[in-house]
Amino acid sequence: MTAPDEKGGHLITLLSKHDPAAALGEGWTRDYGRLDPADADRATLVYVRGSDVPVRVDISRSEDQPHARRIGPGLWATFNPATKDPRLPGLIPALARVEAPAIVRYRPDKRCTFSGAGDDGRKVFVKSFADERAEDLWRDALSLADAADRGAFGFEIAAPVWFDPGANALALAALNGVNAAPLLRGNDGETHAISIARALATILLSGVVTRAAFDAADQLARTRKYAKRFKKCAPQLSPTIERFLHTLDGDDLHNNQAPELLPVHGAPHPQQWLIDGDRLGLVDFDRFGLGHVELDAATFVAELDFENMPATRRNNIGAAFVDEYKRHLNAFDDRVFMIFRAHKHFAKAFKTAIAIRPDRIDRAEAILAGAQELLDGERS
Protein backbone atom coordinates (compact mmCIF):
# COMPACT_ATOMS: atom_id res chain seq x y z
CA MET A 1 0.00 0.00 0.00
CA THR A 2 1.25 3.47 -0.87
CA ALA A 3 1.66 6.56 1.27
CA PRO A 4 -1.52 8.53 2.15
CA ASP A 5 -3.33 10.33 -0.63
CA GLU A 6 -2.03 13.82 0.10
CA LYS A 7 -2.97 15.21 -3.32
CA GLY A 8 -6.65 15.06 -4.06
CA GLY A 9 -7.56 13.11 -0.94
CA HIS A 10 -8.86 16.15 0.94
CA LEU A 11 -11.04 17.23 -1.98
CA ILE A 12 -12.44 13.72 -2.43
CA THR A 13 -13.26 13.55 1.28
CA LEU A 14 -15.10 16.86 1.08
CA LEU A 15 -17.06 15.70 -1.98
CA SER A 16 -18.11 12.53 -0.17
CA LYS A 17 -19.65 14.71 2.53
CA HIS A 18 -21.06 17.44 0.30
CA ASP A 19 -22.32 15.92 -2.95
CA PRO A 20 -22.99 18.63 -5.56
CA ALA A 21 -26.05 16.64 -6.63
CA ALA A 22 -27.83 18.05 -3.57
CA ALA A 23 -27.71 21.50 -5.17
CA LEU A 24 -29.22 20.18 -8.41
CA GLY A 25 -32.31 18.54 -6.98
CA GLU A 26 -33.68 15.01 -6.92
CA GLY A 27 -32.69 12.32 -9.38
CA TRP A 28 -29.27 13.60 -10.46
CA THR A 29 -26.39 11.11 -10.43
CA ARG A 30 -22.72 11.49 -11.24
CA ASP A 31 -21.76 10.13 -14.66
CA TYR A 32 -18.17 11.39 -14.80
CA GLY A 33 -15.57 12.77 -12.44
CA ARG A 34 -11.90 13.65 -12.73
CA LEU A 35 -9.39 15.46 -10.57
CA ASP A 36 -7.33 18.11 -12.30
CA PRO A 37 -3.90 16.40 -12.59
CA ALA A 38 -2.16 19.78 -12.33
CA ASP A 39 -4.14 21.00 -9.31
CA ALA A 40 -5.47 18.49 -6.78
CA ASP A 41 -7.76 21.16 -5.31
CA ARG A 42 -9.86 21.17 -8.49
CA ALA A 43 -12.10 18.64 -10.19
CA THR A 44 -14.63 18.43 -13.00
CA LEU A 45 -17.81 16.36 -12.63
CA VAL A 46 -20.82 15.61 -14.85
CA TYR A 47 -24.28 14.87 -13.50
CA VAL A 48 -27.13 13.31 -15.48
CA ARG A 49 -30.87 12.80 -14.98
CA GLY A 50 -33.03 11.03 -17.53
CA SER A 51 -33.47 13.10 -20.68
CA ASP A 52 -32.27 16.35 -19.06
CA VAL A 53 -29.19 18.05 -20.46
CA PRO A 54 -26.14 16.89 -18.44
CA VAL A 55 -24.72 19.41 -16.00
CA ARG A 56 -21.03 20.14 -15.71
CA VAL A 57 -19.84 20.93 -12.20
CA ASP A 58 -16.41 22.51 -11.70
CA ILE A 59 -15.16 22.07 -8.13
CA SER A 60 -12.56 24.15 -6.31
CA ARG A 61 -11.42 24.53 -2.73
CA SER A 62 -11.24 28.30 -3.18
CA GLU A 63 -13.78 30.88 -4.31
CA ASP A 64 -11.91 31.88 -7.43
CA GLN A 65 -14.42 31.00 -10.16
CA PRO A 66 -17.09 33.39 -11.47
CA HIS A 67 -20.55 32.54 -10.12
CA ALA A 68 -19.12 29.91 -7.74
CA ARG A 69 -21.48 28.62 -5.07
CA ARG A 70 -20.38 27.38 -1.66
CA ILE A 71 -21.61 23.79 -1.28
CA GLY A 72 -19.67 22.93 1.86
CA PRO A 73 -16.86 24.13 4.14
CA GLY A 74 -13.98 25.09 1.86
CA LEU A 75 -15.79 23.69 -1.18
CA TRP A 76 -17.04 25.78 -4.11
CA ALA A 77 -18.77 24.80 -7.33
CA THR A 78 -20.02 26.25 -10.60
CA PHE A 79 -22.92 24.59 -12.43
CA ASN A 80 -23.38 24.77 -16.20
CA PRO A 81 -25.35 22.67 -18.70
CA ALA A 82 -23.36 20.85 -21.36
CA THR A 83 -24.85 23.22 -23.93
CA LYS A 84 -22.85 26.06 -22.38
CA ASP A 85 -19.48 24.32 -22.66
CA PRO A 86 -17.27 27.07 -24.18
CA ARG A 87 -15.16 24.45 -25.96
CA LEU A 88 -18.23 23.05 -27.77
CA PRO A 89 -19.74 26.04 -29.55
CA GLY A 90 -21.19 23.78 -32.24
CA LEU A 91 -23.22 21.65 -29.85
CA ILE A 92 -26.40 23.76 -29.84
CA PRO A 93 -26.62 24.04 -33.66
CA ALA A 94 -25.85 20.31 -33.94
CA LEU A 95 -28.65 19.47 -31.49
CA ALA A 96 -31.03 21.53 -33.61
CA ARG A 97 -30.40 19.31 -36.64
CA VAL A 98 -32.24 16.28 -35.21
CA GLU A 99 -35.67 15.62 -33.75
CA ALA A 100 -35.92 14.66 -30.05
CA PRO A 101 -32.20 14.94 -29.31
CA ALA A 102 -30.99 13.03 -26.25
CA ILE A 103 -27.43 13.39 -24.98
CA VAL A 104 -25.92 9.99 -24.24
CA ARG A 105 -22.33 10.93 -23.36
CA TYR A 106 -20.78 14.26 -22.51
CA ARG A 107 -17.09 14.75 -21.80
CA PRO A 108 -16.30 18.35 -20.78
CA ASP A 109 -14.05 20.35 -23.10
CA LYS A 110 -13.80 17.40 -25.53
CA ARG A 111 -16.96 16.01 -27.13
CA CYS A 112 -20.63 15.31 -26.79
CA THR A 113 -22.54 12.39 -28.29
CA PHE A 114 -26.30 12.43 -28.66
CA SER A 115 -29.02 10.52 -30.47
CA GLY A 116 -32.06 11.74 -32.36
CA ALA A 117 -34.20 11.25 -35.43
CA GLY A 118 -32.79 12.28 -38.79
CA ASP A 119 -34.66 13.88 -41.68
CA ASP A 120 -36.00 10.49 -42.76
CA GLY A 121 -37.10 9.59 -39.23
CA ARG A 122 -34.39 7.00 -38.68
CA LYS A 123 -32.26 7.09 -35.53
CA VAL A 124 -28.83 8.69 -35.79
CA PHE A 125 -25.97 9.30 -33.41
CA VAL A 126 -24.24 12.67 -33.61
CA LYS A 127 -20.84 13.66 -32.26
CA SER A 128 -19.91 17.28 -31.66
CA PHE A 129 -16.20 17.93 -31.08
CA ALA A 130 -14.15 20.62 -29.39
CA ASP A 131 -11.29 20.16 -31.85
CA GLU A 132 -11.45 19.99 -35.64
CA ARG A 133 -11.42 16.20 -36.00
CA ALA A 134 -14.94 15.98 -37.36
CA GLU A 135 -13.86 16.64 -40.95
CA ASP A 136 -11.17 13.94 -40.89
CA LEU A 137 -13.57 11.51 -39.23
CA TRP A 138 -16.18 12.27 -41.88
CA ARG A 139 -13.68 11.56 -44.62
CA ASP A 140 -12.81 8.25 -42.95
CA ALA A 141 -16.52 7.45 -42.55
CA LEU A 142 -17.03 7.82 -46.29
CA SER A 143 -14.03 5.58 -47.05
CA LEU A 144 -15.24 3.00 -44.56
CA ALA A 145 -18.71 3.07 -46.11
CA ASP A 146 -17.22 2.44 -49.57
CA ALA A 147 -15.29 -0.53 -48.21
CA ALA A 148 -18.38 -1.88 -46.46
CA ASP A 149 -20.36 -1.62 -49.72
CA ARG A 150 -17.83 -3.85 -51.47
CA GLY A 151 -17.98 -6.41 -48.64
CA ALA A 152 -14.56 -5.73 -47.16
CA PHE A 153 -15.59 -6.15 -43.53
CA GLY A 154 -16.88 -9.01 -41.45
CA PHE A 155 -19.13 -6.61 -39.54
CA GLU A 156 -21.51 -3.74 -40.17
CA ILE A 157 -20.56 -0.11 -39.71
CA ALA A 158 -22.64 2.99 -38.99
CA ALA A 159 -23.42 4.64 -42.33
CA PRO A 160 -22.46 8.32 -42.64
CA VAL A 161 -25.51 10.64 -42.72
CA TRP A 162 -24.24 14.22 -42.60
CA PHE A 163 -21.29 16.42 -41.70
CA ASP A 164 -21.69 19.99 -40.45
CA PRO A 165 -18.38 21.89 -40.61
CA GLY A 166 -19.87 24.91 -38.86
CA ALA A 167 -20.93 22.81 -35.88
CA ASN A 168 -17.84 20.60 -36.09
CA ALA A 169 -20.17 17.62 -35.90
CA LEU A 170 -21.06 14.51 -37.87
CA ALA A 171 -24.01 12.12 -37.82
CA LEU A 172 -23.95 8.36 -38.35
CA ALA A 173 -26.86 5.95 -38.65
CA ALA A 174 -27.68 3.80 -35.63
CA LEU A 175 -26.85 0.10 -35.79
CA ASN A 176 -28.97 -2.78 -34.48
CA GLY A 177 -27.66 -5.05 -31.78
CA VAL A 178 -26.79 -5.30 -28.09
CA ASN A 179 -23.55 -4.44 -26.37
CA ALA A 180 -21.10 -7.34 -26.65
CA ALA A 181 -19.44 -6.85 -23.27
CA PRO A 182 -22.13 -8.57 -21.14
CA LEU A 183 -22.34 -11.43 -23.65
CA LEU A 184 -18.58 -11.94 -23.48
CA ARG A 185 -18.95 -12.41 -19.74
CA GLY A 186 -21.61 -15.08 -20.30
CA ASN A 187 -21.44 -18.79 -21.01
CA ASP A 188 -20.75 -18.23 -24.72
CA GLY A 189 -17.92 -15.76 -24.11
CA GLU A 190 -15.28 -17.69 -26.05
CA THR A 191 -17.61 -18.17 -29.02
CA HIS A 192 -18.37 -14.45 -29.18
CA ALA A 193 -14.67 -13.58 -28.77
CA ILE A 194 -13.75 -15.82 -31.70
CA SER A 195 -16.43 -14.25 -33.91
CA ILE A 196 -15.22 -10.75 -33.00
CA ALA A 197 -11.57 -11.63 -33.65
CA ARG A 198 -12.42 -13.08 -37.06
CA ALA A 199 -14.39 -9.97 -37.96
CA LEU A 200 -11.78 -7.55 -36.62
CA ALA A 201 -9.03 -9.09 -38.74
CA THR A 202 -10.89 -8.10 -41.91
CA ILE A 203 -10.02 -4.44 -41.30
CA LEU A 204 -6.34 -5.17 -41.86
CA LEU A 205 -6.87 -6.35 -45.43
CA SER A 206 -9.66 -3.93 -46.32
CA GLY A 207 -7.40 -1.52 -48.18
CA VAL A 208 -9.22 1.49 -46.72
CA VAL A 209 -7.27 4.68 -47.37
CA THR A 210 -6.65 6.96 -44.39
CA ARG A 211 -4.13 9.70 -43.72
CA ALA A 212 -3.89 9.01 -39.97
CA ALA A 213 -1.17 6.75 -38.61
CA PHE A 214 -0.34 5.56 -35.10
CA ASP A 215 2.81 3.50 -34.56
CA ALA A 216 4.77 2.44 -31.48
CA ALA A 217 6.59 5.77 -31.30
CA ASP A 218 3.25 7.59 -31.21
CA GLN A 219 2.04 5.26 -28.45
CA LEU A 220 5.18 5.94 -26.42
CA ALA A 221 4.68 9.70 -26.81
CA ARG A 222 1.12 9.37 -25.51
CA THR A 223 2.27 7.28 -22.56
CA ARG A 224 4.95 9.85 -21.72
CA LYS A 225 2.32 12.60 -21.78
CA TYR A 226 0.19 10.58 -19.39
CA ALA A 227 3.23 9.91 -17.20
CA LYS A 228 3.92 13.62 -16.63
CA ARG A 229 0.35 14.20 -15.48
CA PHE A 230 0.32 10.92 -13.54
CA LYS A 231 3.33 11.97 -11.44
CA LYS A 232 1.72 15.33 -10.63
CA CYS A 233 -1.50 13.84 -9.30
CA ALA A 234 0.13 10.81 -7.62
CA PRO A 235 3.72 11.77 -6.75
CA GLN A 236 4.06 8.78 -4.41
CA LEU A 237 3.91 6.54 -7.50
CA SER A 238 6.67 8.41 -9.36
CA PRO A 239 9.38 5.74 -8.83
CA THR A 240 7.06 3.04 -10.21
CA ILE A 241 6.08 5.22 -13.16
CA GLU A 242 9.73 5.93 -13.93
CA ARG A 243 10.55 2.22 -13.80
CA PHE A 244 7.80 1.52 -16.33
CA LEU A 245 9.13 4.22 -18.69
CA HIS A 246 12.69 2.97 -18.27
CA THR A 247 11.60 -0.54 -19.23
CA LEU A 248 9.90 0.82 -22.35
CA ASP A 249 13.03 2.79 -23.28
CA GLY A 250 15.00 -0.44 -23.19
CA ASP A 251 12.90 -1.99 -25.95
CA ASP A 252 13.81 -1.32 -29.56
CA LEU A 253 10.18 -1.42 -30.69
CA HIS A 254 9.79 2.30 -30.06
CA ASN A 255 13.11 3.26 -31.64
CA ASN A 256 13.18 1.24 -34.86
CA GLN A 257 11.28 2.03 -38.01
CA ALA A 258 7.81 0.53 -37.83
CA PRO A 259 6.95 -2.42 -40.07
CA GLU A 260 4.30 -2.02 -42.73
CA LEU A 261 1.32 -0.36 -41.09
CA LEU A 262 -2.18 -1.56 -41.98
CA PRO A 263 -5.66 -0.14 -41.35
CA VAL A 264 -6.74 -0.63 -37.73
CA HIS A 265 -9.79 0.47 -35.76
CA GLY A 266 -7.63 1.87 -32.97
CA ALA A 267 -9.97 1.20 -30.04
CA PRO A 268 -12.06 -1.96 -30.68
CA HIS A 269 -12.73 -2.78 -27.03
CA PRO A 270 -15.71 -4.99 -26.12
CA GLN A 271 -18.10 -2.05 -25.59
CA GLN A 272 -17.61 -0.97 -29.21
CA TRP A 273 -19.10 -4.20 -30.57
CA LEU A 274 -22.79 -4.88 -31.13
CA ILE A 275 -24.21 -8.38 -31.51
CA ASP A 276 -27.45 -8.92 -33.44
CA GLY A 277 -27.99 -12.66 -33.76
CA ASP A 278 -25.18 -13.91 -35.97
CA ARG A 279 -24.33 -10.38 -37.19
CA LEU A 280 -21.76 -8.04 -35.68
CA GLY A 281 -21.52 -4.27 -35.70
CA LEU A 282 -18.50 -2.12 -34.85
CA VAL A 283 -18.82 1.55 -33.89
CA ASP A 284 -16.68 4.54 -32.95
CA PHE A 285 -13.90 4.75 -35.53
CA ASP A 286 -12.51 7.94 -33.95
CA ARG A 287 -9.02 6.40 -33.75
CA PHE A 288 -9.10 4.69 -37.13
CA GLY A 289 -5.80 4.84 -39.01
CA LEU A 290 -2.73 2.91 -40.03
CA GLY A 291 -1.08 0.96 -37.22
CA HIS A 292 0.65 -2.21 -36.07
CA VAL A 293 -1.41 -5.34 -36.61
CA GLU A 294 -1.04 -6.14 -32.89
CA LEU A 295 -2.59 -2.84 -31.72
CA ASP A 296 -6.27 -3.74 -32.09
CA ALA A 297 -5.80 -7.14 -30.46
CA ALA A 298 -3.93 -5.58 -27.54
CA THR A 299 -6.64 -2.95 -27.08
CA PHE A 300 -9.42 -5.55 -27.02
CA VAL A 301 -7.63 -7.86 -24.58
CA ALA A 302 -6.42 -5.01 -22.34
CA GLU A 303 -10.00 -3.82 -21.90
CA LEU A 304 -11.10 -7.40 -21.31
CA ASP A 305 -8.46 -7.58 -18.55
CA PHE A 306 -10.63 -5.25 -16.46
CA GLU A 307 -13.97 -6.95 -17.03
CA ASN A 308 -15.60 -8.21 -13.83
CA MET A 309 -15.24 -11.98 -14.12
CA PRO A 310 -12.98 -14.72 -12.69
CA ALA A 311 -9.39 -14.40 -13.90
CA THR A 312 -9.34 -17.89 -15.43
CA ARG A 313 -12.47 -17.15 -17.41
CA ARG A 314 -11.11 -13.81 -18.54
CA ASN A 315 -7.81 -15.37 -19.63
CA ASN A 316 -9.57 -18.13 -21.58
CA ILE A 317 -11.71 -15.63 -23.47
CA GLY A 318 -8.68 -13.45 -24.22
CA ALA A 319 -6.67 -16.44 -25.43
CA ALA A 320 -9.53 -17.58 -27.69
CA PHE A 321 -9.69 -14.09 -29.19
CA VAL A 322 -5.93 -13.84 -29.83
CA ASP A 323 -5.63 -17.34 -31.27
CA GLU A 324 -8.42 -16.65 -33.76
CA TYR A 325 -7.05 -13.21 -34.66
CA LYS A 326 -3.61 -14.69 -35.37
CA ARG A 327 -5.13 -17.34 -37.60
CA HIS A 328 -6.07 -14.68 -40.16
CA LEU A 329 -2.70 -12.90 -40.28
CA ASN A 330 0.56 -13.59 -42.02
CA ALA A 331 2.55 -12.31 -39.03
CA PHE A 332 1.80 -11.44 -35.42
CA ASP A 333 4.47 -10.52 -32.87
CA ASP A 334 3.56 -11.60 -29.32
CA ARG A 335 6.19 -9.23 -27.91
CA VAL A 336 4.65 -6.22 -29.66
CA PHE A 337 1.19 -7.34 -28.55
CA MET A 338 2.28 -7.45 -24.89
CA ILE A 339 3.95 -4.04 -25.08
CA PHE A 340 0.85 -2.38 -26.51
CA ARG A 341 -1.23 -4.18 -23.88
CA ALA A 342 1.05 -2.79 -21.17
CA HIS A 343 0.62 0.72 -22.60
CA LYS A 344 -3.16 0.34 -22.30
CA HIS A 345 -2.83 -0.80 -18.68
CA PHE A 346 -0.68 2.24 -17.95
CA ALA A 347 -3.35 4.55 -19.40
CA LYS A 348 -5.93 2.80 -17.22
CA ALA A 349 -3.74 3.34 -14.14
CA PHE A 350 -3.45 7.07 -14.88
CA LYS A 351 -7.18 7.50 -15.38
CA THR A 352 -7.79 5.64 -12.13
CA ALA A 353 -5.40 8.00 -10.35
CA ILE A 354 -7.50 11.03 -11.31
CA ALA A 355 -10.83 9.38 -10.52
CA ILE A 356 -13.05 10.76 -7.76
CA ARG A 357 -12.76 7.83 -5.37
CA PRO A 358 -10.97 7.45 -2.02
CA ASP A 359 -8.98 4.38 -3.08
CA ARG A 360 -7.74 5.93 -6.31
CA ILE A 361 -4.03 5.67 -5.41
CA ASP A 362 -4.14 2.06 -4.22
CA ARG A 363 -6.11 0.98 -7.30
CA ALA A 364 -3.82 2.90 -9.65
CA GLU A 365 -0.78 1.34 -8.00
CA ALA A 366 -2.18 -2.17 -8.48
CA ILE A 367 -2.97 -1.54 -12.16
CA LEU A 368 0.48 0.00 -12.70
CA ALA A 369 2.08 -3.08 -11.16
CA GLY A 370 0.14 -5.22 -13.62
CA ALA A 371 1.41 -3.10 -16.51
CA GLN A 372 4.98 -3.61 -15.32
CA GLU A 373 4.42 -7.37 -15.04
CA LEU A 374 3.31 -7.46 -18.68
CA LEU A 375 6.56 -5.78 -19.73
CA ASP A 376 8.70 -7.94 -17.46
CA GLY A 377 6.99 -11.09 -18.73
CA GLU A 378 7.57 -10.03 -22.33
CA ARG A 379 11.30 -9.59 -21.64
CA SER A 380 11.76 -12.89 -19.76
Side-chain angles (χ1 to χ4, degrees):
M1 184 174 292
T2 63
D5 184 2
E6 298 295 343
K7 283 202 169 187
H10 299 308
L11 182 61
I12 292 172
T13 299
L14 286 172
L15 285 170
S16 69
K17 297 177 180 178
H18 307 283
D19 189 345
L24 292 169
E26 294 184 1
W28 291 90
T29 58
R30 194 175 78 209
D31 177 64
Y32 170 87
R34 292 289 186 270
L35 293 171
D36 183 341
D39 186 348
D41 285 337
R42 296 181 183 277
T44 299
L45 317 176
V46 173
Y47 285 81
V48 298
R49 182 178 68 178
S51 60
D52 291 329
V53 173
V55 174
R56 169 183 179 155
V57 182
D58 289 292
I59 300 292
S60 175
R61 293 191 64 199
S62 61
E63 188 183 6
D64 59 354
Q65 302 179 79
H67 312 297
R69 296 163 56 182
R70 184 176 180 272
I71 61 172
L75 196 63
W76 305 83
T78 60
F79 299 83
N80 289 290
T83 48
K84 288 190 176 181
D85 190 323
R87 296 289 306 278
L88 294 171
L91 179 55
I92 291 178
L95 286 165
R97 291 201 55 162
V98 301
E99 294 291 331
I103 293 176
V104 296
R105 194 168 191 259
Y106 165 55
R107 292 298 175 257
D109 299 327
K110 294 182 179 180
R111 71 185 72 85
C112 186
T113 304
F114 59 92
S115 63
D119 293 339
D120 59 0
R122 291 185 299 174
K123 186 176 182 179
V124 297
F125 282 95
V126 182
K127 287 188 178 183
S128 177
F129 293 91
D131 54 27
E132 297 181 352
R133 285 189 300 156
E135 184 173 0
D136 288 338
L137 294 177
W138 176 250
R139 189 178 296 111
D140 284 341
L142 295 175
S143 297
L144 289 163
D146 286 342
D149 287 343
R150 56 181 168 81
F153 302 132
F155 52 83
E156 295 184 7
I157 65 164
V161 179
W162 53 257
F163 164 58
D164 187 335
N168 201 25
L170 72 158
L172 303 174
L175 290 178
N176 294 325
V178 298
N179 191 306
L183 297 178
L184 284 164
R185 295 192 292 267
N187 294 332
D188 296 324
E190 285 94 337
T191 300
H192 289 305
I194 289 170
S195 296
I196 289 173
R198 185 184 308 122
L200 183 61
T202 62
I203 298 179
L204 297 167
L205 303 179
S206 65
V208 179
V209 176
T210 176
R211 292 184 293 181
F214 187 79
D215 62 12
D218 295 316
Q219 179 66 76
L220 180 60
R222 175 177 290 178
T223 294
R224 287 192 176 282
K225 181 180 71 173
Y226 283 155
K228 289 180 180 179
R229 300 168 68 192
F230 200 165
K231 287 186 286 186
K232 286 182 179 179
C233 70
Q236 59 271 67
L237 297 183
S238 291
T240 313
I241 294 169
E242 284 299 328
R243 183 190 171 204
F244 182 84
L245 294 176
H246 179 74
T247 307
L248 287 176
D249 286 338
D251 195 286
D252 60 8
L253 170 66
H254 305 93
N255 303 313
N256 292 346
Q257 184 176 358
E260 179 187 8
L261 301 179
L262 296 174
V264 294
H265 179 277
H269 51 74
Q271 292 81 5
Q272 306 282 43
W273 290 91
L274 299 172
I275 297 178
D276 182 22
D278 60 354
R279 303 168 72 178
L280 293 172
L282 180 57
V283 300
D284 197 358
F285 280 77
D286 291 7
R287 295 184 183 176
F288 176 70
L290 300 177
H292 294 258
V293 299
E294 298 83 4
L295 174 61
D296 275 356
T299 301
F300 182 89
V301 174
E303 195 68 27
L304 192 67
D305 289 337
F306 297 98
E307 287 289 333
N308 185 22
M309 67 178 85
T312 300
R313 181 100 180 104
R314 191 166 53 236
N315 293 338
N316 289 342
I317 294 171
F321 172 89
V322 173
D323 288 346
E324 179 65 20
Y325 191 72
K326 286 181 178 180
R327 221 169 54 81
H328 299 273
L329 305 179
N330 292 326
F332 184 95
D333 192 324
D334 289 319
R335 177 182 66 94
V336 175
F337 165 76
M338 280 297 189
I339 292 173
F340 275 118
R341 187 177 171 191
H343 276 292
K344 303 306 178 184
H345 278 238
F346 185 87
K348 181 76 170 183
F350 165 63
K351 292 172 183 176
T352 300
I354 58 175
I356 309 295
R357 52 184 303 156
D359 60 348
R360 69 184 186 100
I361 298 298
D362 287 338
R363 288 176 63 87
E365 182 181 35
I367 296 171
L368 186 55
Q372 185 66 51
E373 288 175 6
L374 288 172
L375 290 184
D376 291 343
E378 175 275 316
R379 298 173 72 197
S380 63

